[in-house]
Amino acid sequence: MKSHKYWSLGALFCMLGCIYSGIKKSMTAHKYFAYSSLLCMGMSIYSGHKLVSPKKKKITKSNNSEIVK
């Protein structure tokens, strides 16, 4: 949870830096902010998929026979 929050905040700040550098027409800074924003978003998605995915319960024979009845 903690790493997902920090990667998301990093992506937000990189996007703001990307917008600001685009307005100022500083293309080298704009390029670095864009790539770092993509990296932060990718890491945020990777660290966040663990929070959303459900934990699968193994069905044993005893559980399965109770369900079938």
Side-chain angles (χ1 to χ4, degrees):
M1 174 68 182
K2 201 178 229 185
S3 64
H4 176 72
K5 179 175 72 171
Y6 290 128
W7 281 115
S8 299
L9 288 175
L12 175 69
F13 290 131
C14 288
M15 283 187 269
L16 292 175
C18 187
I19 291 169
Y20 181 75
S21 63
I23 290 171
K24 292 291 185 177
K25 305 276 191 241
S26 174
M27 288 301 129
T28 56
H30 184 74
K31 179 177 67 172
Y32 289 124
F33 277 121
Y35 285 138
S36 61
S37 177
L38 282 173
L39 174 73
C40 287
M41 282 189 276
M43 291 303 293
S44 177
I45 291 169
Y46 177 72
S47 65
H49 87 277
K50 299 173 196 170
L51 300 172
V52 179
S53 63
K55 293 182 177 148
K56 296 183 179 180
K57 196 176 195 181
K58 290 184 180 179
I59 298 176
T60 60
K61 273 192 166 184
S62 62
N63 288 342
N64 196 12
S65 63
E66 291 172 4
I67 296 171
V68 174
K69 290 181 183 179

